[in-house]
Amino acid sequence: MKPLLTALSGDNRARDVVIVLVVSVLLWEVAVAIFQPPLIFLPPPSAVWAEFMSSPGVFLKHMGYTLSTTAVAFALSVILGVFLAVCIVQSPFLERTVYTLLVALNSVPKVALAPLFVIWLGVGVAPKLAVAIMLAIFPIVIDTVLGLRSVEPDMISLAKTSRASRFQVLMKIQFPNALPSLFAGMKVAVSFALVGAIVGEFVAGGNGLGFLVLVAQGQFDTTRVFVSLVLLGLMGTILFYAVDFMERLMLPWHVSQRGHRPVATPEAAGA
């Protein structure tokens, strides 16, 4: 309970995010009122809100579909990415083969692979998951490998001197040391998973905010496109800070979190 309370009250980032978003929307509304661009180029936030309220159930339904695809792809990316990272660190052969293949696959544009996934997997949720996982898994593997290898050699030697097994060294020394790097990769990966889900919906549409963007673009309905984009922005922001909250909850001891905690003054200590 104490780590949870610390994570909730350790900083004011949630308040800052809300303030920044509200100010941005107000500036957007004022800029449109002053410069008055054509509605087809840039609708004001009030028009975007009115469009959303005209059929909120439709937008929320497609938002839920995109969110579920993103969440499943992100979870699978974390599980598979950590597993591959452990295998790469433990096996020089896998490092020369699997690691090289991952780098090569990451160099291929995922938009080019999406049609191939549709041919292989059909037009359901499977190709969307495949594209999202392909995008999200790379930063998790790279950062986790970095974290697993950044343990002090003297600590590893001391553990082996104490007759610790390779599994014990991994679980009690290497993996805890890799958690900060893993969370850094997860912050990048959760955004990539959302991008991958949208790319999959572009190629194999039918549901999701990406599908709504395509339909609205075909009808030159800029306001409807902006509704989907705003919802995607909100979703991405919430997912990113959800991972950030998990990091503060699980790693309150790490140096990266010290700047987000209140500093204890002598007066406060005396009180």
Side-chain angles (χ1 to χ4, degrees), residues 15-51:
R15 181 198 63 189
D16 295 340
V17 169
V18 173
I19 292 175
V20 169
L21 292 178
V22 171
V23 171
S24 300
V25 170
L26 291 176
L27 291 176
W28 176 7
E29 184 77 32
V30 171
V32 171
I34 294 175
F35 297 104
Q36 297 183 352
L39 188 63
I40 194 173
F41 289 125
L42 183 63
S46 55
V48 174
W49 174 254
E51 178 67 25

mmCIF file of all heavy atoms in Angstrom, residues 15-51:
data_model
loop_
_atom_site.group_PDB
_atom_site.id
_atom_site.type_symbol
_atom_site.label_atom_id
_atom_site.label_comp_id
_atom_site.label_asym_id
_atom_site.label_seq_id
_atom_site.Cartn_x
_atom_site.Cartn_y
_atom_site.Cartn_z
ATOM 1 N N ARG A 15 -1.332 16.442 -13.130
ATOM 2 C CA ARG A 15 -1.863 17.798 -13.196
ATOM 3 C C ARG A 15 -1.212 18.584 -14.330
ATOM 4 O O ARG A 15 -1.884 19.314 -15.077
ATOM 5 C CB ARG A 15 -1.637 18.510 -11.863
ATOM 6 C CG ARG A 15 -2.187 19.943 -11.801
ATOM 7 C CD ARG A 15 -1.553 20.704 -10.658
ATOM 8 N NE ARG A 15 -0.107 20.836 -10.847
ATOM 9 C CZ ARG A 15 0.714 21.300 -9.916
ATOM 10 N NH1 ARG A 15 0.259 21.657 -8.728
ATOM 11 N NH2 ARG A 15 2.020 21.408 -10.168
ATOM 12 N N ASP A 16 0.112 18.443 -14.485
ATOM 13 C CA ASP A 16 0.821 19.167 -15.533
ATOM 14 C C ASP A 16 0.345 18.744 -16.914
ATOM 15 O O ASP A 16 0.199 19.579 -17.820
ATOM 16 C CB ASP A 16 2.327 18.931 -15.404
ATOM 17 C CG ASP A 16 2.893 19.502 -14.113
ATOM 18 O OD1 ASP A 16 2.225 20.379 -13.519
ATOM 19 O OD2 ASP A 16 3.975 19.068 -13.694
ATOM 20 N N VAL A 17 0.108 17.441 -17.100
ATOM 21 C CA VAL A 17 -0.362 16.949 -18.395
ATOM 22 C C VAL A 17 -1.717 17.552 -18.732
ATOM 23 O O VAL A 17 -1.957 18.004 -19.856
ATOM 24 C CB VAL A 17 -0.432 15.409 -18.392
ATOM 25 C CG1 VAL A 17 -1.162 14.901 -19.631
ATOM 26 C CG2 VAL A 17 0.963 14.814 -18.336
ATOM 27 N N VAL A 18 -2.620 17.566 -17.753
ATOM 28 C CA VAL A 18 -3.950 18.124 -17.985
ATOM 29 C C VAL A 18 -3.866 19.608 -18.335
ATOM 30 O O VAL A 18 -4.531 20.091 -19.261
ATOM 31 C CB VAL A 18 -4.846 17.901 -16.747
ATOM 32 C CG1 VAL A 18 -6.179 18.638 -16.913
ATOM 33 C CG2 VAL A 18 -5.095 16.414 -16.535
ATOM 34 N N ILE A 19 -3.017 20.347 -17.612
ATOM 35 C CA ILE A 19 -2.874 21.780 -17.873
ATOM 36 C C ILE A 19 -2.339 22.021 -19.282
ATOM 37 O O ILE A 19 -2.848 22.882 -20.031
ATOM 38 C CB ILE A 19 -1.961 22.427 -16.821
ATOM 39 C CG1 ILE A 19 -2.635 22.423 -15.447
ATOM 40 C CG2 ILE A 19 -1.606 23.861 -17.228
ATOM 41 C CD1 ILE A 19 -1.754 22.923 -14.330
ATOM 42 N N VAL A 20 -1.320 21.255 -19.674
ATOM 43 C CA VAL A 20 -0.739 21.427 -21.007
ATOM 44 C C VAL A 20 -1.768 21.131 -22.088
ATOM 45 O O VAL A 20 -1.892 21.866 -23.077
ATOM 46 C CB VAL A 20 0.499 20.520 -21.168
ATOM 47 C CG1 VAL A 20 0.954 20.482 -22.620
ATOM 48 C CG2 VAL A 20 1.636 21.006 -20.280
ATOM 49 N N LEU A 21 -2.549 20.066 -21.911
ATOM 50 C CA LEU A 21 -3.557 19.713 -22.911
ATOM 51 C C LEU A 21 -4.645 20.775 -23.004
ATOM 52 O O LEU A 21 -5.061 21.159 -24.109
ATOM 53 C CB LEU A 21 -4.166 18.349 -22.580
ATOM 54 C CG LEU A 21 -3.235 17.137 -22.719
ATOM 55 C CD1 LEU A 21 -3.952 15.866 -22.311
ATOM 56 C CD2 LEU A 21 -2.714 17.012 -24.142
ATOM 57 N N VAL A 22 -5.105 21.256 -21.860
ATOM 58 C CA VAL A 22 -6.163 22.276 -21.866
ATOM 59 C C VAL A 22 -5.668 23.561 -22.519
ATOM 60 O O VAL A 22 -6.370 24.168 -23.355
ATOM 61 C CB VAL A 22 -6.656 22.534 -20.430
ATOM 62 C CG1 VAL A 22 -7.583 23.748 -20.397
ATOM 63 C CG2 VAL A 22 -7.391 21.313 -19.883
ATOM 64 N N VAL A 23 -4.462 23.998 -22.179
ATOM 65 C CA VAL A 23 -3.906 25.217 -22.769
ATOM 66 C C VAL A 23 -3.730 25.045 -24.277
ATOM 67 O O VAL A 23 -4.001 25.972 -25.062
ATOM 68 C CB VAL A 23 -2.576 25.583 -22.097
ATOM 69 C CG1 VAL A 23 -1.881 26.720 -22.846
ATOM 70 C CG2 VAL A 23 -2.813 25.983 -20.639
ATOM 71 N N SER A 24 -3.284 23.871 -24.705
ATOM 72 C CA SER A 24 -3.100 23.620 -26.136
ATOM 73 C C SER A 24 -4.424 23.718 -26.893
ATOM 74 O O SER A 24 -4.489 24.307 -27.982
ATOM 75 C CB SER A 24 -2.471 22.244 -26.352
ATOM 76 O OG SER A 24 -1.208 22.151 -25.730
ATOM 77 N N VAL A 25 -5.483 23.160 -26.296
ATOM 78 C CA VAL A 25 -6.795 23.222 -26.944
ATOM 79 C C VAL A 25 -7.290 24.665 -27.021
ATOM 80 O O VAL A 25 -7.843 25.103 -28.044
ATOM 81 C CB VAL A 25 -7.808 22.338 -26.185
ATOM 82 C CG1 VAL A 25 -9.231 22.577 -26.699
ATOM 83 C CG2 VAL A 25 -7.442 20.863 -26.344
ATOM 84 N N LEU A 26 -7.083 25.439 -25.958
ATOM 85 C CA LEU A 26 -7.502 26.842 -25.964
ATOM 86 C C LEU A 26 -6.740 27.645 -27.015
ATOM 87 O O LEU A 26 -7.331 28.471 -27.734
ATOM 88 C CB LEU A 26 -7.298 27.448 -24.576
ATOM 89 C CG LEU A 26 -8.217 26.928 -23.460
ATOM 90 C CD1 LEU A 26 -7.840 27.536 -22.125
ATOM 91 C CD2 LEU A 26 -9.679 27.209 -23.788
ATOM 92 N N LEU A 27 -5.437 27.411 -27.122
ATOM 93 C CA LEU A 27 -4.647 28.106 -28.140
ATOM 94 C C LEU A 27 -5.101 27.716 -29.544
ATOM 95 O O LEU A 27 -5.142 28.567 -30.456
ATOM 96 C CB LEU A 27 -3.162 27.791 -27.945
ATOM 97 C CG LEU A 27 -2.500 28.383 -26.704
ATOM 98 C CD1 LEU A 27 -1.055 27.902 -26.596
ATOM 99 C CD2 LEU A 27 -2.543 29.911 -26.744
ATOM 100 N N TRP A 28 -5.430 26.449 -29.719
ATOM 101 C CA TRP A 28 -5.943 25.967 -31.004
ATOM 102 C C TRP A 28 -7.233 26.703 -31.368
ATOM 103 O O TRP A 28 -7.392 27.191 -32.493
ATOM 104 C CB TRP A 28 -6.136 24.463 -30.909
ATOM 105 C CG TRP A 28 -6.749 23.782 -32.099
ATOM 106 C CD1 TRP A 28 -7.034 24.320 -33.315
ATOM 107 C CD2 TRP A 28 -7.147 22.407 -32.153
ATOM 108 N NE1 TRP A 28 -7.589 23.367 -34.139
ATOM 109 C CE2 TRP A 28 -7.667 22.192 -33.457
ATOM 110 C CE3 TRP A 28 -7.107 21.363 -31.238
ATOM 111 C CZ2 TRP A 28 -8.159 20.958 -33.846
ATOM 112 C CZ3 TRP A 28 -7.589 20.113 -31.629
ATOM 113 C CH2 TRP A 28 -8.111 19.921 -32.917
ATOM 114 N N GLU A 29 -8.146 26.798 -30.402
ATOM 115 C CA GLU A 29 -9.433 27.473 -30.646
ATOM 116 C C GLU A 29 -9.216 28.949 -30.973
ATOM 117 O O GLU A 29 -9.835 29.498 -31.913
ATOM 118 C CB GLU A 29 -10.319 27.334 -29.410
ATOM 119 C CG GLU A 29 -11.724 27.909 -29.573
ATOM 120 C CD GLU A 29 -12.635 27.020 -30.386
ATOM 121 O OE1 GLU A 29 -12.469 25.778 -30.334
ATOM 122 O OE2 GLU A 29 -13.516 27.568 -31.082
ATOM 123 N N VAL A 30 -8.338 29.595 -30.226
ATOM 124 C CA VAL A 30 -8.076 31.026 -30.461
ATOM 125 C C VAL A 30 -7.419 31.239 -31.823
ATOM 126 O O VAL A 30 -7.770 32.175 -32.569
ATOM 127 C CB VAL A 30 -7.192 31.590 -29.332
ATOM 128 C CG1 VAL A 30 -6.737 33.006 -29.674
ATOM 129 C CG2 VAL A 30 -7.947 31.582 -28.010
ATOM 130 N N ALA A 31 -6.461 30.376 -32.183
ATOM 131 C CA ALA A 31 -5.771 30.526 -33.467
ATOM 132 C C ALA A 31 -6.738 30.368 -34.633
ATOM 133 O O ALA A 31 -6.662 31.126 -35.619
ATOM 134 C CB ALA A 31 -4.640 29.499 -33.567
ATOM 135 N N VAL A 32 -7.654 29.407 -34.543
ATOM 136 C CA VAL A 32 -8.633 29.215 -35.614
ATOM 137 C C VAL A 32 -9.566 30.422 -35.697
ATOM 138 O O VAL A 32 -9.929 30.878 -36.797
ATOM 139 C CB VAL A 32 -9.426 27.913 -35.391
ATOM 140 C CG1 VAL A 32 -10.586 27.817 -36.385
ATOM 141 C CG2 VAL A 32 -8.513 26.702 -35.532
ATOM 142 N N ALA A 33 -9.959 30.979 -34.542
ATOM 143 C CA ALA A 33 -10.849 32.152 -34.545
ATOM 144 C C ALA A 33 -10.166 33.376 -35.141
ATOM 145 O O ALA A 33 -10.804 34.200 -35.803
ATOM 146 C CB ALA A 33 -11.308 32.445 -33.123
ATOM 147 N N ILE A 34 -8.847 33.501 -34.932
ATOM 148 C CA ILE A 34 -8.124 34.671 -35.436
ATOM 149 C C ILE A 34 -7.838 34.544 -36.941
ATOM 150 O O ILE A 34 -8.111 35.461 -37.722
ATOM 151 C CB ILE A 34 -6.825 34.876 -34.642
ATOM 152 C CG1 ILE A 34 -7.138 35.254 -33.188
ATOM 153 C CG2 ILE A 34 -5.959 35.958 -35.305
ATOM 154 C CD1 ILE A 34 -5.911 35.350 -32.311
ATOM 155 N N PHE A 35 -7.276 33.408 -37.334
ATOM 156 C CA PHE A 35 -6.818 33.260 -38.725
ATOM 157 C C PHE A 35 -7.908 32.714 -39.649
ATOM 158 O O PHE A 35 -7.791 32.850 -40.866
ATOM 159 C CB PHE A 35 -5.590 32.349 -38.768
ATOM 160 C CG PHE A 35 -4.412 32.904 -38.020
ATOM 161 C CD1 PHE A 35 -4.058 32.410 -36.772
ATOM 162 C CD2 PHE A 35 -3.652 33.931 -38.560
ATOM 163 C CE1 PHE A 35 -2.980 32.915 -36.076
ATOM 164 C CE2 PHE A 35 -2.558 34.448 -37.875
ATOM 165 C CZ PHE A 35 -2.223 33.947 -36.631
ATOM 166 N N GLN A 36 -8.929 32.068 -39.073
ATOM 167 C CA GLN A 36 -10.075 31.574 -39.817
ATOM 168 C C GLN A 36 -9.683 30.772 -41.071
ATOM 169 O O GLN A 36 -10.028 31.147 -42.206
ATOM 170 C CB GLN A 36 -10.990 32.735 -40.206
ATOM 171 C CG GLN A 36 -11.579 33.458 -39.010
ATOM 172 C CD GLN A 36 -12.546 34.557 -39.405
ATOM 173 O OE1 GLN A 36 -12.694 34.902 -40.576
ATOM 174 N NE2 GLN A 36 -13.227 35.108 -38.418
ATOM 175 N N PRO A 37 -8.955 29.675 -40.900
ATOM 176 C CA PRO A 37 -8.643 28.831 -42.057
ATOM 177 C C PRO A 37 -9.898 28.094 -42.518
ATOM 178 O O PRO A 37 -10.865 27.959 -41.756
ATOM 179 C CB PRO A 37 -7.597 27.857 -41.492
ATOM 180 C CG PRO A 37 -7.935 27.755 -40.044
ATOM 181 C CD PRO A 37 -8.419 29.124 -39.642
ATOM 182 N N PRO A 38 -9.912 27.610 -43.742
ATOM 183 C CA PRO A 38 -11.072 26.834 -44.206
ATOM 184 C C PRO A 38 -11.300 25.613 -43.312
ATOM 185 O O PRO A 38 -10.344 24.992 -42.830
ATOM 186 C CB PRO A 38 -10.677 26.416 -45.625
ATOM 187 C CG PRO A 38 -9.659 27.428 -46.050
ATOM 188 C CD PRO A 38 -8.917 27.812 -44.806
ATOM 189 N N LEU A 39 -12.554 25.281 -43.101
ATOM 190 C CA LEU A 39 -12.897 24.178 -42.199
ATOM 191 C C LEU A 39 -12.303 22.858 -42.668
ATOM 192 O O LEU A 39 -11.971 21.997 -41.847
ATOM 193 C CB LEU A 39 -14.416 24.056 -42.085
ATOM 194 C CG LEU A 39 -14.952 23.070 -41.034
ATOM 195 C CD1 LEU A 39 -14.540 23.520 -39.644
ATOM 196 C CD2 LEU A 39 -16.470 22.948 -41.148
ATOM 197 N N ILE A 40 -12.130 22.708 -43.971
ATOM 198 C CA ILE A 40 -11.599 21.453 -44.491
ATOM 199 C C ILE A 40 -10.121 21.284 -44.145
ATOM 200 O O ILE A 40 -9.600 20.170 -44.140
ATOM 201 C CB ILE A 40 -11.806 21.377 -46.019
ATOM 202 C CG1 ILE A 40 -11.579 19.942 -46.509
ATOM 203 C CG2 ILE A 40 -10.887 22.344 -46.746
ATOM 204 C CD1 ILE A 40 -11.919 19.733 -47.963
ATOM 205 N N PHE A 41 -9.431 22.395 -43.834
ATOM 206 C CA PHE A 41 -8.018 22.317 -43.467
ATOM 207 C C PHE A 41 -7.820 22.170 -41.961
ATOM 208 O O PHE A 41 -7.029 21.338 -41.520
ATOM 209 C CB PHE A 41 -7.268 23.552 -43.966
ATOM 210 C CG PHE A 41 -7.106 23.595 -45.455
ATOM 211 C CD1 PHE A 41 -7.545 24.684 -46.177
ATOM 212 C CD2 PHE A 41 -6.518 22.546 -46.141
ATOM 213 C CE1 PHE A 41 -7.413 24.729 -47.559
ATOM 214 C CE2 PHE A 41 -6.370 22.580 -47.516
ATOM 215 C CZ PHE A 41 -6.823 23.672 -48.229
ATOM 216 N N LEU A 42 -8.517 22.980 -41.179
ATOM 217 C CA LEU A 42 -8.321 22.945 -39.727
ATOM 218 C C LEU A 42 -9.601 23.366 -39.018
ATOM 219 O O LEU A 42 -9.887 24.564 -38.896
ATOM 220 C CB LEU A 42 -7.165 23.859 -39.318
ATOM 221 C CG LEU A 42 -6.812 23.863 -37.828
ATOM 222 C CD1 LEU A 42 -6.331 22.486 -37.384
ATOM 223 C CD2 LEU A 42 -5.758 24.928 -37.520
ATOM 224 N N PRO A 43 -10.380 22.407 -38.533
ATOM 225 C CA PRO A 43 -11.578 22.757 -37.770
ATOM 226 C C PRO A 43 -11.207 23.163 -36.345
ATOM 227 O O PRO A 43 -10.184 22.712 -35.809
ATOM 228 C CB PRO A 43 -12.384 21.457 -37.766
ATOM 229 C CG PRO A 43 -11.350 20.387 -37.879
ATOM 230 C CD PRO A 43 -10.249 20.959 -38.730
ATOM 231 N N PRO A 44 -12.003 24.001 -35.694
ATOM 232 C CA PRO A 44 -11.726 24.370 -34.301
ATOM 233 C C PRO A 44 -12.081 23.234 -33.362
ATOM 234 O O PRO A 44 -12.871 22.338 -33.708
ATOM 235 C CB PRO A 44 -12.643 25.582 -34.088
ATOM 236 C CG PRO A 44 -13.772 25.353 -35.022
ATOM 237 C CD PRO A 44 -13.187 24.693 -36.224
ATOM 238 N N PRO A 45 -11.524 23.238 -32.153
ATOM 239 C CA PRO A 45 -11.865 22.194 -31.180
ATOM 240 C C PRO A 45 -13.356 22.112 -30.881
ATOM 241 O O PRO A 45 -13.874 21.026 -30.615
ATOM 242 C CB PRO A 45 -11.064 22.607 -29.942
ATOM 243 C CG PRO A 45 -9.935 23.414 -30.460
ATOM 244 C CD PRO A 45 -10.461 24.132 -31.656
ATOM 245 N N SER A 46 -14.051 23.254 -30.931
ATOM 246 C CA SER A 46 -15.493 23.218 -30.672
ATOM 247 C C SER A 46 -16.221 22.401 -31.722
ATOM 248 O O SER A 46 -17.159 21.640 -31.408
ATOM 249 C CB SER A 46 -16.046 24.648 -30.641
ATOM 250 O OG SER A 46 -15.720 25.340 -31.845
ATOM 251 N N ALA A 47 -15.787 22.502 -32.998
ATOM 252 C CA ALA A 47 -16.396 21.694 -34.053
ATOM 253 C C ALA A 47 -16.037 20.218 -33.896
ATOM 254 O O ALA A 47 -16.867 19.338 -34.157
ATOM 255 C CB ALA A 47 -15.950 22.208 -35.421
ATOM 256 N N VAL A 48 -14.814 19.948 -33.468
ATOM 257 C CA VAL A 48 -14.397 18.557 -33.239
ATOM 258 C C VAL A 48 -15.226 17.941 -32.112
ATOM 259 O O VAL A 48 -15.681 16.791 -32.209
ATOM 260 C CB VAL A 48 -12.892 18.502 -32.905
ATOM 261 C CG1 VAL A 48 -12.474 17.086 -32.523
ATOM 262 C CG2 VAL A 48 -12.066 18.998 -34.089
ATOM 263 N N TRP A 49 -15.438 18.713 -31.052
ATOM 264 C CA TRP A 49 -16.251 18.226 -29.932
ATOM 265 C C TRP A 49 -17.699 17.989 -30.366
ATOM 266 O O TRP A 49 -18.315 16.993 -29.994
ATOM 267 C CB TRP A 49 -16.196 19.213 -28.786
ATOM 268 C CG TRP A 49 -17.100 18.876 -27.643
ATOM 269 C CD1 TRP A 49 -18.267 19.489 -27.310
ATOM 270 C CD2 TRP A 49 -16.921 17.822 -26.687
ATOM 271 N NE1 TRP A 49 -18.826 18.893 -26.204
ATOM 272 C CE2 TRP A 49 -18.027 17.866 -25.800
ATOM 273 C CE3 TRP A 49 -15.945 16.853 -26.484
ATOM 274 C CZ2 TRP A 49 -18.177 16.977 -24.739
ATOM 275 C CZ3 TRP A 49 -16.088 15.965 -25.423
ATOM 276 C CH2 TRP A 49 -17.190 16.032 -24.576
ATOM 277 N N ALA A 50 -18.245 18.902 -31.162
ATOM 278 C CA ALA A 50 -19.616 18.738 -31.644
ATOM 279 C C ALA A 50 -19.742 17.487 -32.512
ATOM 280 O O ALA A 50 -20.750 16.766 -32.439
ATOM 281 C CB ALA A 50 -20.045 19.984 -32.423
ATOM 282 N N GLU A 51 -18.727 17.220 -33.336
ATOM 283 C CA GLU A 51 -18.750 16.012 -34.171
ATOM 284 C C GLU A 51 -18.698 14.750 -33.318
ATOM 285 O O GLU A 51 -19.398 13.773 -33.588
ATOM 286 C CB GLU A 51 -17.562 16.039 -35.138
ATOM 287 C CG GLU A 51 -17.443 14.819 -36.029
ATOM 288 C CD GLU A 51 -18.576 14.706 -37.028
ATOM 289 O OE1 GLU A 51 -19.179 15.744 -37.384
ATOM 290 O OE2 GLU A 51 -18.875 13.569 -37.452
#
